[in-house]
Amino acid sequence: HTQSDRISNIYHETNTNIRPRASSPIPPPPPKPQPPPTNPPSQPQERSLTQVIYSPDGDLIFSVSKDHIICAWYSANGERLGTYKGHQGALWTISVDPSTTLLASGAADNTIKLWESRTGRCLKTWDFPTAIKRVEFSEDGRQLLGVTEKRMGYLGTIVVFDITVDVEAEQVEKPSLTITLEESKATVAGFSPGNEWVVAGHEDGSLSQWDAVTGEEMYRAENVHEAPITDLQWSTDRTYFITSSKDKTAKLHATSSLETLKTYTTDTPLNSAAMTPVKEFVILGGGQAAMDVTTTAARQGRFEARVYHKIFEEEIGRVRGHFGPLNTVAVHPKGEGYCSGGEDGYVRVHWFDPAWHKFQYEVERERDGAKI
């Protein structure tokens, strides 16, 4: 079984006013410290995390929660680098462009904001009639996608903005594409390779594929999940992706056909799923909502990250630590570890130990032996 060494427990605090210095670039990350004690101190059950992501090179972690503030952290030791302030509502989503020049965020204040990553300066604000549930940059950083909520008589939409990757440039006012969702609202969405399609996951458990230029619906896969889709994350080359759902499953899908390739069945509602880029593993996060749990024990609430083998669909390990459901998980771009954000207000950063990298099924050992 695999184990993960916990590096740090980061509480998503809001009572300090720390910003990256505008006069100098972000300094290089400090060296990895020795792991601290694994049991974090008790903290109030508030300001739950909604999404965590790594920067493309993995040295930074960006987190958003219901406290209106974006935080940037060094992934090596959990030290907070700075905050981005400006939203007036709970933050739901965040994305960083491939060069870590720009940061985008979406919130319950019905806005998408574009930030300069290095300084924390807000470059652009786009207003909408409803909350923003998801933002994501395209793989070249030249387009930004947003998913709006269905509420107050407004239908849910997927909007696409053309982005100029220059902090001094004037960004566009209007989206280049708006997809209005007449049926089930989208909960998550992202760009396929080459920005050819927009792929969306929906509240009714279906998947849809849209032409990223014309907005025409190309294909819809019904009943993929039996409950709302809660997360969608891509493989490194974006030719396949993983979804999680409240139906207690995560599934792997082909981007071109939306065909379901693998299914990972758990015993708890899932909020997030991610794939490791080096080893053939997936990491799932979820847990029962507080109202459904009669005890605060982590095991009772199933507040653990679950590790499954991507090919064999078998659970191979769990990582404890959170005191509430895991709302979001993200894997280091180089496969060196992962981080998770919970309802308990913590971001937990994990580094994979040598046993993780050496773990193999017998068929994998035989395959590698045959190559030699």
Side-chain angles (χ1 to χ4, degrees):
H1 293 294
T2 61
Q3 298 290 332
S4 292
D5 288 333
R6 297 184 184 86
I7 275 288
S8 56
N9 304 299
I10 310 168
Y11 190 61
H12 205 281
E13 297 179 53
T14 60
N15 58 356
T16 54
N17 185 18
I18 304 172
R19 288 180 181 270
R21 292 178 296 174
S23 59
S24 61
I26 290 175
K32 294 179 184 178
Q34 292 298 311
T38 58
N39 294 323
S42 177
Q43 293 286 359
Q45 301 295 305
E46 59 184 3
R47 295 181 294 213
S48 57
L49 274 295
T50 51
Q51 191 174 8
V52 292
I53 60 171
Y54 282 91
S55 61
D57 58 8
D59 63 334
L60 299 176
I61 294 170
F62 297 98
S63 66
V64 290
S65 72
K66 296 178 182 178
D67 61 9
H68 309 182
I69 296 174
I70 304 164
C71 289
W73 317 86
Y74 284 121
S75 63
N77 65 355
E79 177 186 351
R80 186 163 70 172
L81 174 61
T83 60
Y84 303 72
K85 295 185 178 181
H87 279 289
Q88 302 302 314
L91 279 151
W92 294 117
T93 178
I94 192 168
S95 183
V96 63
D97 84 308
S99 64
T100 321
T101 302
L102 302 175
L103 196 70
S105 57
D109 62 4
N110 302 352
T111 67
I112 293 176
K113 289 184 180 291
L114 192 69
W115 311 82
E116 181 180 6
S117 298
R118 187 176 64 88
T119 66
R121 177 166 60 109
C122 184
L123 304 175
K124 184 67 178 178
T125 299
W126 292 283
D127 292 295
F128 298 88
T130 60
I132 309 301
K133 302 300 287 188
R134 191 76 160 196
V135 292
E136 183 178 301
F137 280 100
S138 59
E139 59 181 345
D140 62 4
R142 297 186 179 278
Q143 288 185 297
L144 175 66
L145 170 153
V147 175
T148 69
E149 180 69 281
K150 178 181 180 180
R151 189 165 293 171
M152 300 180 295
Y154 292 96
L155 291 173
T157 65
I158 301 173
V159 294
V160 176
F161 290 93
D162 294 327
I163 298 297
T164 303
V165 188
D166 181 350
V167 296
E168 303 303 330
E170 186 74 20
Q171 301 293 340
V172 298
E173 294 288 340
K174 301 293 183 181
S176 59
L177 176 66
T178 299
I179 300 170
T180 301
L181 304 168
E182 302 284 350
E183 301 177 29
S184 177
K185 70 177 183 182
T187 52
V188 290
F191 289 100
S192 72
N195 308 342
E196 184 178 0
W197 307 303
V198 170
V199 175
H202 296 263
E203 187 178 41
D204 65 359
S206 65
L207 290 171
S208 61
Q209 183 189 87
W210 307 79
D211 187 293
V213 176
T214 66
E216 177 186 0
E217 185 172 0
M218 308 300 293
Y219 185 69
R220 182 176 290 267
E222 302 283 1
N223 304 315
V224 175
H225 286 283
E226 298 176 359
I229 294 175
T230 53
D231 197 10
L232 185 159
Q233 295 195 35
W234 298 97
S235 65
T236 304
D237 61 4
R238 297 192 179 224
T239 57
Y240 59 98
F241 60 94
I242 192 169
T243 57
S244 61
S245 172
K246 294 294 186 182
D247 68 1
K248 303 182 181 181
T249 69
K251 298 187 178 186
L252 211 63
H253 314 273
T255 304
S256 58
S257 64
L258 304 186
E259 176 189 0
T260 298
L261 306 174
K262 299 289 179 181
T263 299
Y264 313 99
T265 302
T266 72
D267 57 358
T268 192
L270 295 178
N271 297 323
S272 191
M275 294 175 280
T276 59
V278 178
K279 299 287 287 184
E280 300 285 0
F281 298 129
V282 300
I283 300 175
L284 313 179
Q288 293 175 292
M291 66 183 69
D292 301 324
V293 181
T294 58
T295 174
T296 57
R299 190 73 184 184
Q300 181 70 23
R302 301 183 175 91
F303 307 144
E304 303 147 318
R306 291 159 164 76
V307 182
Y308 281 69
H309 195 281
K310 185 169 69 176
I311 306 303
F312 301 122
E313 304 169 288
E314 294 180 350
E315 182 178 344
I316 59 174
R318 296 189 183 188
V319 182
R320 300 183 186 182
H322 283 285
F323 295 99
L326 280 71
N327 293 335
T328 172
V329 295
V331 173
H332 191 286
K334 298 176 183 177
E336 297 175 359
Y338 81 96
C339 64
S340 57
E343 192 72 18
D344 57 6
Y346 283 100
V347 176
R348 296 182 65 88
V349 184
H350 306 259
W351 296 97
F352 298 140
D353 60 20
W356 167 278
H357 295 286
K358 293 177 181 177
F359 177 85
Q360 287 184 314
Y361 277 73
E362 183 178 354
V363 65
E364 294 176 301
R365 292 195 295 269
E366 292 174 352
R367 176 199 62 192
D368 292 346
K371 289 181 180 179
I372 296 173

mmCIF file of all heavy atoms in Angstrom, residues 270-315:
data_model
loop_
_atom_site.group_PDB
_atom_site.id
_atom_site.type_symbol
_atom_site.label_atom_id
_atom_site.label_comp_id
_atom_site.label_asym_id
_atom_site.label_seq_id
_atom_site.Cartn_x
_atom_site.Cartn_y
_atom_site.Cartn_z
ATOM 1 N N LEU A 270 -18.513 11.946 -3.982
ATOM 2 C CA LEU A 270 -17.221 12.517 -4.384
ATOM 3 C C LEU A 270 -17.378 13.959 -4.840
ATOM 4 O O LEU A 270 -18.327 14.306 -5.548
ATOM 5 C CB LEU A 270 -16.597 11.681 -5.496
ATOM 6 C CG LEU A 270 -16.191 10.253 -5.117
ATOM 7 C CD1 LEU A 270 -15.635 9.517 -6.322
ATOM 8 C CD2 LEU A 270 -15.176 10.254 -3.971
ATOM 9 N N ASN A 271 -16.423 14.789 -4.438
ATOM 10 C CA ASN A 271 -16.407 16.198 -4.829
ATOM 11 C C ASN A 271 -15.310 16.536 -5.824
ATOM 12 O O ASN A 271 -15.359 17.576 -6.477
ATOM 13 C CB ASN A 271 -16.220 17.078 -3.588
ATOM 14 C CG ASN A 271 -17.357 16.939 -2.605
ATOM 15 O OD1 ASN A 271 -18.509 16.805 -2.992
ATOM 16 N ND2 ASN A 271 -17.031 16.955 -1.316
ATOM 17 N N SER A 272 -14.293 15.655 -5.941
ATOM 18 C CA SER A 272 -13.154 15.993 -6.787
ATOM 19 C C SER A 272 -12.395 14.736 -7.168
ATOM 20 O O SER A 272 -12.418 13.724 -6.448
ATOM 21 C CB SER A 272 -12.221 16.962 -6.039
ATOM 22 O OG SER A 272 -11.241 17.498 -6.894
ATOM 23 N N ALA A 273 -11.721 14.790 -8.318
ATOM 24 C CA ALA A 273 -10.910 13.665 -8.801
ATOM 25 C C ALA A 273 -9.769 14.211 -9.650
ATOM 26 O O ALA A 273 -9.953 15.151 -10.424
ATOM 27 C CB ALA A 273 -11.762 12.690 -9.618
ATOM 28 N N ALA A 274 -8.592 13.615 -9.496
ATOM 29 C CA ALA A 274 -7.414 14.046 -10.248
ATOM 30 C C ALA A 274 -6.579 12.830 -10.615
ATOM 31 O O ALA A 274 -6.653 11.788 -9.954
ATOM 32 C CB ALA A 274 -6.577 15.035 -9.434
ATOM 33 N N MET A 275 -5.768 12.977 -11.661
ATOM 34 C CA MET A 275 -4.888 11.897 -12.123
ATOM 35 C C MET A 275 -3.436 12.280 -11.910
ATOM 36 O O MET A 275 -3.068 13.446 -12.068
ATOM 37 C CB MET A 275 -5.129 11.633 -13.610
ATOM 38 C CG MET A 275 -6.498 11.080 -13.925
ATOM 39 S SD MET A 275 -6.783 10.929 -15.720
ATOM 40 C CE MET A 275 -7.185 12.630 -16.136
ATOM 41 N N THR A 276 -2.604 11.294 -11.557
ATOM 42 C CA THR A 276 -1.177 11.555 -11.426
ATOM 43 C C THR A 276 -0.519 11.420 -12.803
ATOM 44 O O THR A 276 -0.807 10.473 -13.539
ATOM 45 C CB THR A 276 -0.529 10.574 -10.442
ATOM 46 O OG1 THR A 276 -0.724 9.237 -10.895
ATOM 47 C CG2 THR A 276 -1.151 10.711 -9.057
ATOM 48 N N PRO A 277 0.373 12.349 -13.166
ATOM 49 C CA PRO A 277 0.955 12.337 -14.511
ATOM 50 C C PRO A 277 2.090 11.336 -14.699
ATOM 51 O O PRO A 277 2.462 11.032 -15.829
ATOM 52 C CB PRO A 277 1.474 13.768 -14.672
ATOM 53 C CG PRO A 277 1.782 14.203 -13.278
ATOM 54 C CD PRO A 277 0.759 13.544 -12.408
ATOM 55 N N VAL A 278 2.650 10.821 -13.601
ATOM 56 C CA VAL A 278 3.798 9.921 -13.703
ATOM 57 C C VAL A 278 3.371 8.472 -13.496
ATOM 58 O O VAL A 278 3.633 7.604 -14.324
ATOM 59 C CB VAL A 278 4.888 10.318 -12.693
ATOM 60 C CG1 VAL A 278 6.062 9.347 -12.769
ATOM 61 C CG2 VAL A 278 5.367 11.743 -12.969
ATOM 62 N N LYS A 279 2.729 8.174 -12.392
ATOM 63 C CA LYS A 279 2.246 6.828 -12.111
ATOM 64 C C LYS A 279 0.794 6.698 -12.559
ATOM 65 O O LYS A 279 0.077 7.681 -12.736
ATOM 66 C CB LYS A 279 2.355 6.540 -10.611
ATOM 67 C CG LYS A 279 3.769 6.611 -10.065
ATOM 68 C CD LYS A 279 4.609 5.429 -10.488
ATOM 69 C CE LYS A 279 4.202 4.179 -9.756
ATOM 70 N NZ LYS A 279 5.056 3.016 -10.069
ATOM 71 N N GLU A 280 0.346 5.451 -12.717
ATOM 72 C CA GLU A 280 -1.023 5.195 -13.189
ATOM 73 C C GLU A 280 -2.008 5.170 -12.014
ATOM 74 O O GLU A 280 -2.609 4.148 -11.697
ATOM 75 C CB GLU A 280 -1.069 3.859 -13.948
ATOM 76 C CG GLU A 280 -0.162 3.803 -15.159
ATOM 77 C CD GLU A 280 -0.708 4.609 -16.332
ATOM 78 O OE1 GLU A 280 -1.789 5.206 -16.209
ATOM 79 O OE2 GLU A 280 -0.038 4.636 -17.377
ATOM 80 N N PHE A 281 -2.167 6.337 -11.366
ATOM 81 C CA PHE A 281 -3.057 6.424 -10.221
ATOM 82 C C PHE A 281 -4.040 7.571 -10.382
ATOM 83 O O PHE A 281 -3.764 8.546 -11.101
ATOM 84 C CB PHE A 281 -2.264 6.645 -8.919
ATOM 85 C CG PHE A 281 -1.312 5.539 -8.584
ATOM 86 C CD1 PHE A 281 0.008 5.812 -8.278
ATOM 87 C CD2 PHE A 281 -1.731 4.216 -8.568
ATOM 88 C CE1 PHE A 281 0.902 4.803 -7.954
ATOM 89 C CE2 PHE A 281 -0.859 3.187 -8.243
ATOM 90 C CZ PHE A 281 0.455 3.481 -7.942
ATOM 91 N N VAL A 282 -5.173 7.463 -9.695
ATOM 92 C CA VAL A 282 -6.105 8.579 -9.573
ATOM 93 C C VAL A 282 -6.336 8.820 -8.087
ATOM 94 O O VAL A 282 -6.279 7.888 -7.277
ATOM 95 C CB VAL A 282 -7.442 8.326 -10.302
ATOM 96 C CG1 VAL A 282 -7.219 8.109 -11.782
ATOM 97 C CG2 VAL A 282 -8.185 7.133 -9.706
ATOM 98 N N ILE A 283 -6.579 10.073 -7.729
ATOM 99 C CA ILE A 283 -6.815 10.459 -6.339
ATOM 100 C C ILE A 283 -8.196 11.088 -6.258
ATOM 101 O O ILE A 283 -8.507 12.025 -7.002
ATOM 102 C CB ILE A 283 -5.732 11.436 -5.852
ATOM 103 C CG1 ILE A 283 -4.349 10.783 -5.955
ATOM 104 C CG2 ILE A 283 -6.007 11.869 -4.409
ATOM 105 C CD1 ILE A 283 -3.205 11.700 -5.613
ATOM 106 N N LEU A 284 -9.021 10.572 -5.360
ATOM 107 C CA LEU A 284 -10.408 10.993 -5.241
ATOM 108 C C LEU A 284 -10.636 11.615 -3.872
ATOM 109 O O LEU A 284 -10.097 11.152 -2.868
ATOM 110 C CB LEU A 284 -11.350 9.800 -5.419
ATOM 111 C CG LEU A 284 -11.081 8.871 -6.618
ATOM 112 C CD1 LEU A 284 -12.089 7.729 -6.631
ATOM 113 C CD2 LEU A 284 -11.137 9.651 -7.923
ATOM 114 N N GLY A 285 -11.468 12.660 -3.839
ATOM 115 C CA GLY A 285 -11.791 13.330 -2.583
ATOM 116 C C GLY A 285 -13.286 13.523 -2.435
ATOM 117 O O GLY A 285 -13.983 13.817 -3.406
ATOM 118 N N GLY A 286 -13.774 13.359 -1.227
ATOM 119 C CA GLY A 286 -15.199 13.554 -0.972
ATOM 120 C C GLY A 286 -15.483 13.387 0.503
ATOM 121 O O GLY A 286 -14.681 13.763 1.358
ATOM 122 N N GLY A 287 -16.634 12.816 0.807
ATOM 123 C CA GLY A 287 -17.036 12.609 2.188
ATOM 124 C C GLY A 287 -18.476 13.014 2.397
ATOM 125 O O GLY A 287 -19.029 13.806 1.639
ATOM 126 N N GLN A 288 -19.079 12.463 3.423
ATOM 127 C CA GLN A 288 -20.457 12.787 3.722
ATOM 128 C C GLN A 288 -20.572 14.195 4.283
ATOM 129 O O GLN A 288 -19.734 14.632 5.069
ATOM 130 C CB GLN A 288 -21.023 11.783 4.739
ATOM 131 C CG GLN A 288 -21.155 10.371 4.193
ATOM 132 C CD GLN A 288 -21.610 9.401 5.261
ATOM 133 O OE1 GLN A 288 -20.889 9.122 6.201
ATOM 134 N NE2 GLN A 288 -22.818 8.895 5.111
ATOM 135 N N ALA A 289 -21.622 14.903 3.892
ATOM 136 C CA ALA A 289 -21.865 16.240 4.407
ATOM 137 C C ALA A 289 -22.100 16.181 5.908
ATOM 138 O O ALA A 289 -22.562 15.174 6.448
ATOM 139 C CB ALA A 289 -23.062 16.859 3.709
ATOM 140 N N ALA A 290 -21.778 17.277 6.601
ATOM 141 C CA ALA A 290 -21.857 17.310 8.058
ATOM 142 C C ALA A 290 -23.247 16.935 8.563
ATOM 143 O O ALA A 290 -23.389 16.264 9.583
ATOM 144 C CB ALA A 290 -21.469 18.695 8.567
ATOM 145 N N MET A 291 -24.284 17.353 7.857
ATOM 146 C CA MET A 291 -25.643 17.074 8.309
ATOM 147 C C MET A 291 -25.980 15.579 8.267
ATOM 148 O O MET A 291 -26.913 15.115 8.913
ATOM 149 C CB MET A 291 -26.652 17.840 7.451
ATOM 150 C CG MET A 291 -26.710 17.389 6.005
ATOM 151 S SD MET A 291 -27.842 18.378 5.010
ATOM 152 C CE MET A 291 -26.976 19.938 4.949
ATOM 153 N N ASP A 292 -25.188 14.815 7.505
ATOM 154 C CA ASP A 292 -25.450 13.387 7.371
ATOM 155 C C ASP A 292 -24.564 12.528 8.260
ATOM 156 O O ASP A 292 -24.662 11.309 8.238
ATOM 157 C CB ASP A 292 -25.256 12.952 5.909
ATOM 158 C CG ASP A 292 -26.176 13.697 4.965
ATOM 159 O OD1 ASP A 292 -27.319 13.980 5.373
ATOM 160 O OD2 ASP A 292 -25.752 13.990 3.838
ATOM 161 N N VAL A 293 -23.669 13.171 9.013
ATOM 162 C CA VAL A 293 -22.722 12.438 9.842
ATOM 163 C C VAL A 293 -23.112 12.575 11.303
ATOM 164 O O VAL A 293 -23.316 13.672 11.801
ATOM 165 C CB VAL A 293 -21.279 12.963 9.628
ATOM 166 C CG1 VAL A 293 -20.299 12.166 10.478
ATOM 167 C CG2 VAL A 293 -20.899 12.877 8.162
ATOM 168 N N THR A 294 -23.218 11.463 12.016
ATOM 169 C CA THR A 294 -23.636 11.500 13.415
ATOM 170 C C THR A 294 -22.461 11.603 14.368
ATOM 171 O O THR A 294 -22.641 11.785 15.563
ATOM 172 C CB THR A 294 -24.439 10.236 13.760
ATOM 173 O OG1 THR A 294 -23.632 9.079 13.485
ATOM 174 C CG2 THR A 294 -25.702 10.168 12.926
ATOM 175 N N THR A 295 -21.264 11.497 13.855
ATOM 176 C CA THR A 295 -20.064 11.643 14.683
ATOM 177 C C THR A 295 -19.027 12.424 13.903
ATOM 178 O O THR A 295 -19.058 12.471 12.682
ATOM 179 C CB THR A 295 -19.485 10.270 15.071
ATOM 180 O OG1 THR A 295 -18.236 10.458 15.756
ATOM 181 C CG2 THR A 295 -19.218 9.419 13.854
ATOM 182 N N THR A 296 -18.103 13.043 14.611
ATOM 183 C CA THR A 296 -17.082 13.847 13.944
ATOM 184 C C THR A 296 -15.865 13.039 13.551
ATOM 185 O O THR A 296 -14.902 13.578 13.028
ATOM 186 C CB THR A 296 -16.628 15.001 14.858
ATOM 187 O OG1 THR A 296 -16.160 14.446 16.097
ATOM 188 C CG2 THR A 296 -17.767 15.957 15.138
ATOM 189 N N ALA A 297 -15.877 11.748 13.813
ATOM 190 C CA ALA A 297 -14.725 10.912 13.466
ATOM 191 C C ALA A 297 -14.499 10.918 11.963
ATOM 192 O O ALA A 297 -15.425 10.782 11.179
ATOM 193 C CB ALA A 297 -14.953 9.480 13.940
ATOM 194 N N ALA A 298 -13.249 11.098 11.565
ATOM 195 C CA ALA A 298 -12.935 11.169 10.141
ATOM 196 C C ALA A 298 -13.311 9.883 9.427
ATOM 197 O O ALA A 298 -13.786 9.899 8.296
ATOM 198 C CB ALA A 298 -11.444 11.467 9.954
ATOM 199 N N ARG A 299 -13.104 8.757 10.101
ATOM 200 C CA ARG A 299 -13.415 7.481 9.450
ATOM 201 C C ARG A 299 -14.922 7.338 9.230
ATOM 202 O O ARG A 299 -15.370 6.846 8.194
ATOM 203 C CB ARG A 299 -12.907 6.328 10.331
ATOM 204 C CG ARG A 299 -12.965 4.973 9.646
ATOM 205 C CD ARG A 299 -11.892 4.857 8.577
ATOM 206 N NE ARG A 299 -11.993 3.608 7.848
ATOM 207 C CZ ARG A 299 -11.151 3.210 6.916
ATOM 208 N NH1 ARG A 299 -10.142 3.977 6.584
ATOM 209 N NH2 ARG A 299 -11.301 2.063 6.298
ATOM 210 N N GLN A 300 -15.702 7.801 10.205
ATOM 211 C CA GLN A 300 -17.153 7.707 10.072
ATOM 212 C C GLN A 300 -17.643 8.583 8.926
ATOM 213 O O GLN A 300 -18.531 8.204 8.168
ATOM 214 C CB GLN A 300 -17.820 8.129 11.388
ATOM 215 C CG GLN A 300 -19.342 8.040 11.368
ATOM 216 C CD GLN A 300 -19.839 6.609 11.338
ATOM 217 O OE1 GLN A 300 -19.113 5.709 11.743
ATOM 218 N NE2 GLN A 300 -21.044 6.399 10.839
ATOM 219 N N GLY A 301 -17.075 9.768 8.816
ATOM 220 C CA GLY A 301 -17.482 10.671 7.741
ATOM 221 C C GLY A 301 -16.807 10.380 6.420
ATOM 222 O O GLY A 301 -17.149 10.971 5.405
ATOM 223 N N ARG A 302 -15.817 9.454 6.456
ATOM 224 C CA ARG A 302 -15.069 9.063 5.256
ATOM 225 C C ARG A 302 -14.341 10.270 4.653
ATOM 226 O O ARG A 302 -14.372 10.494 3.455
ATOM 227 C CB ARG A 302 -15.993 8.401 4.236
ATOM 228 C CG ARG A 302 -16.676 7.153 4.790
ATOM 229 C CD ARG A 302 -17.536 6.460 3.740
ATOM 230 N NE ARG A 302 -18.079 5.206 4.263
ATOM 231 C CZ ARG A 302 -19.250 5.094 4.882
ATOM 232 N NH1 ARG A 302 -19.999 6.162 5.068
ATOM 233 N NH2 ARG A 302 -19.670 3.929 5.321
ATOM 234 N N PHE A 303 -13.677 11.025 5.523
ATOM 235 C CA PHE A 303 -12.952 12.223 5.095
ATOM 236 C C PHE A 303 -11.512 11.851 4.726
ATOM 237 O O PHE A 303 -10.566 12.307 5.355
ATOM 238 C CB PHE A 303 -12.967 13.273 6.205
ATOM 239 C CG PHE A 303 -14.338 13.599 6.737
ATOM 240 C CD1 PHE A 303 -14.508 13.866 8.078
ATOM 241 C CD2 PHE A 303 -15.440 13.652 5.893
ATOM 242 C CE1 PHE A 303 -15.769 14.180 8.585
ATOM 243 C CE2 PHE A 303 -16.704 13.964 6.388
ATOM 244 C CZ PHE A 303 -16.868 14.220 7.738
ATOM 245 N N GLU A 304 -11.357 11.002 3.750
ATOM 246 C CA GLU A 304 -10.033 10.543 3.350
ATOM 247 C C GLU A 304 -9.864 10.710 1.840
ATOM 248 O O GLU A 304 -10.834 10.595 1.096
ATOM 249 C CB GLU A 304 -9.855 9.069 3.700
ATOM 250 C CG GLU A 304 -10.066 8.752 5.174
ATOM 251 C CD GLU A 304 -10.664 7.377 5.379
ATOM 252 O OE1 GLU A 304 -11.587 7.016 4.619
ATOM 253 O OE2 GLU A 304 -10.222 6.678 6.308
ATOM 254 N N ALA A 305 -8.638 10.982 1.438
ATOM 255 C CA ALA A 305 -8.318 10.912 0.012
ATOM 256 C C ALA A 305 -8.144 9.445 -0.345
ATOM 257 O O ALA A 305 -7.482 8.686 0.373
ATOM 258 C CB ALA A 305 -7.036 11.684 -0.275
ATOM 259 N N ARG A 306 -8.740 9.037 -1.433
ATOM 260 C CA ARG A 306 -8.678 7.639 -1.866
ATOM 261 C C ARG A 306 -7.810 7.544 -3.111
ATOM 262 O O ARG A 306 -7.972 8.320 -4.046
ATOM 263 C CB ARG A 306 -10.080 7.117 -2.169
ATOM 264 C CG ARG A 306 -10.949 6.967 -0.941
ATOM 265 C CD ARG A 306 -12.418 6.952 -1.321
ATOM 266 N NE ARG A 306 -13.256 6.444 -0.247
ATOM 267 C CZ ARG A 306 -13.584 7.129 0.834
ATOM 268 N NH1 ARG A 306 -13.139 8.363 0.982
ATOM 269 N NH2 ARG A 306 -14.359 6.600 1.763
ATOM 270 N N VAL A 307 -6.920 6.570 -3.115
ATOM 271 C CA VAL A 307 -6.021 6.360 -4.247
ATOM 272 C C VAL A 307 -6.434 5.070 -4.958
ATOM 273 O O VAL A 307 -6.518 4.009 -4.326
ATOM 274 C CB VAL A 307 -4.558 6.274 -3.792
ATOM 275 C CG1 VAL A 307 -3.636 6.097 -5.009
ATOM 276 C CG2 VAL A 307 -4.166 7.517 -3.003
ATOM 277 N N TYR A 308 -6.690 5.177 -6.254
ATOM 278 C CA TYR A 308 -7.068 4.023 -7.074
ATOM 279 C C TYR A 308 -6.046 3.840 -8.191
ATOM 280 O O TYR A 308 -5.441 4.808 -8.663
ATOM 281 C CB TYR A 308 -8.445 4.232 -7.712
ATOM 282 C CG TYR A 308 -9.613 3.971 -6.789
ATOM 283 C CD1 TYR A 308 -9.878 4.815 -5.727
ATOM 284 C CD2 TYR A 308 -10.460 2.880 -6.973
ATOM 285 C CE1 TYR A 308 -10.949 4.585 -4.869
ATOM 286 C CE2 TYR A 308 -11.538 2.635 -6.140
ATOM 287 C CZ TYR A 308 -11.776 3.496 -5.087
ATOM 288 O OH TYR A 308 -12.833 3.267 -4.252
ATOM 289 N N HIS A 309 -5.875 2.588 -8.617
ATOM 290 C CA HIS A 309 -5.060 2.338 -9.792
ATOM 291 C C HIS A 309 -5.881 2.706 -11.023
ATOM 292 O O HIS A 309 -7.016 2.253 -11.172
ATOM 293 C CB HIS A 309 -4.621 0.876 -9.868
ATOM 294 C CG HIS A 309 -3.505 0.643 -10.838
ATOM 295 N ND1 HIS A 309 -3.715 0.569 -12.197
ATOM 296 C CD2 HIS A 309 -2.165 0.495 -10.647
ATOM 297 C CE1 HIS A 309 -2.559 0.370 -12.800
ATOM 298 N NE2 HIS A 309 -1.599 0.328 -11.881
ATOM 299 N N LYS A 310 -5.310 3.519 -11.872
ATOM 300 C CA LYS A 310 -6.060 4.061 -13.010
ATOM 301 C C LYS A 310 -6.503 2.975 -13.981
ATOM 302 O O LYS A 310 -7.607 3.025 -14.531
ATOM 303 C CB LYS A 310 -5.210 5.108 -13.748
ATOM 304 C CG LYS A 310 -5.969 5.818 -14.877
ATOM 305 C CD LYS A 310 -5.189 7.010 -15.385
ATOM 306 C CE LYS A 310 -3.939 6.612 -16.113
ATOM 307 N NZ LYS A 310 -3.229 7.788 -16.680
ATOM 308 N N ILE A 311 -5.673 1.971 -14.177
ATOM 309 C CA ILE A 311 -5.979 0.930 -15.163
ATOM 310 C C ILE A 311 -6.836 -0.179 -14.551
ATOM 311 O O ILE A 311 -7.830 -0.606 -15.130
ATOM 312 C CB ILE A 311 -4.683 0.329 -15.739
ATOM 313 C CG1 ILE A 311 -3.775 1.442 -16.285
ATOM 314 C CG2 ILE A 311 -5.004 -0.693 -16.825
ATOM 315 C CD1 ILE A 311 -4.415 2.313 -17.357
ATOM 316 N N PHE A 312 -6.452 -0.645 -13.364
ATOM 317 C CA PHE A 312 -7.117 -1.798 -12.765
ATOM 318 C C PHE A 312 -8.340 -1.434 -11.926
ATOM 319 O O PHE A 312 -9.041 -2.323 -11.448
ATOM 320 C CB PHE A 312 -6.110 -2.596 -11.925
ATOM 321 C CG PHE A 312 -4.935 -3.078 -12.728
ATOM 322 C CD1 PHE A 312 -3.641 -2.721 -12.388
ATOM 323 C CD2 PHE A 312 -5.130 -3.885 -13.842
ATOM 324 C CE1 PHE A 312 -2.556 -3.164 -13.133
ATOM 325 C CE2 PHE A 312 -4.047 -4.343 -14.589
ATOM 326 C CZ PHE A 312 -2.761 -3.976 -14.240
ATOM 327 N N GLU A 313 -8.565 -0.152 -11.717
ATOM 328 C CA GLU A 313 -9.766 0.352 -11.036
ATOM 329 C C GLU A 313 -9.879 -0.119 -9.593
ATOM 330 O O GLU A 313 -10.963 -0.144 -9.023
ATOM 331 C CB GLU A 313 -11.041 -0.043 -11.816
ATOM 332 C CG GLU A 313 -11.042 0.417 -13.263
ATOM 333 C CD GLU A 313 -12.160 -0.200 -14.083
ATOM 334 O OE1 GLU A 313 -12.061 -1.415 -14.366
ATOM 335 O OE2 GLU A 313 -13.115 0.502 -14.429
ATOM 336 N N GLU A 314 -8.771 -0.479 -8.980
ATOM 337 C CA GLU A 314 -8.777 -0.974 -7.611
ATOM 338 C C GLU A 314 -8.252 0.082 -6.650
ATOM 339 O O GLU A 314 -7.291 0.787 -6.957
ATOM 340 C CB GLU A 314 -7.900 -2.221 -7.497
ATOM 341 C CG GLU A 314 -8.425 -3.426 -8.259
ATOM 342 C CD GLU A 314 -7.524 -4.637 -8.104
ATOM 343 O OE1 GLU A 314 -6.404 -4.476 -7.557
ATOM 344 O OE2 GLU A 314 -7.926 -5.727 -8.526
ATOM 345 N N GLU A 315 -8.873 0.162 -5.475
ATOM 346 C CA GLU A 315 -8.379 1.067 -4.446
ATOM 347 C C GLU A 315 -7.120 0.476 -3.831
ATOM 348 O O GLU A 315 -7.092 -0.689 -3.445
ATOM 349 C CB GLU A 315 -9.436 1.286 -3.360
ATOM 350 C CG GLU A 315 -8.974 2.254 -2.284
ATOM 351 C CD GLU A 315 -10.031 2.520 -1.228
ATOM 352 O OE1 GLU A 315 -11.223 2.199 -1.480
ATOM 353 O OE2 GLU A 315 -9.670 3.034 -0.150
#
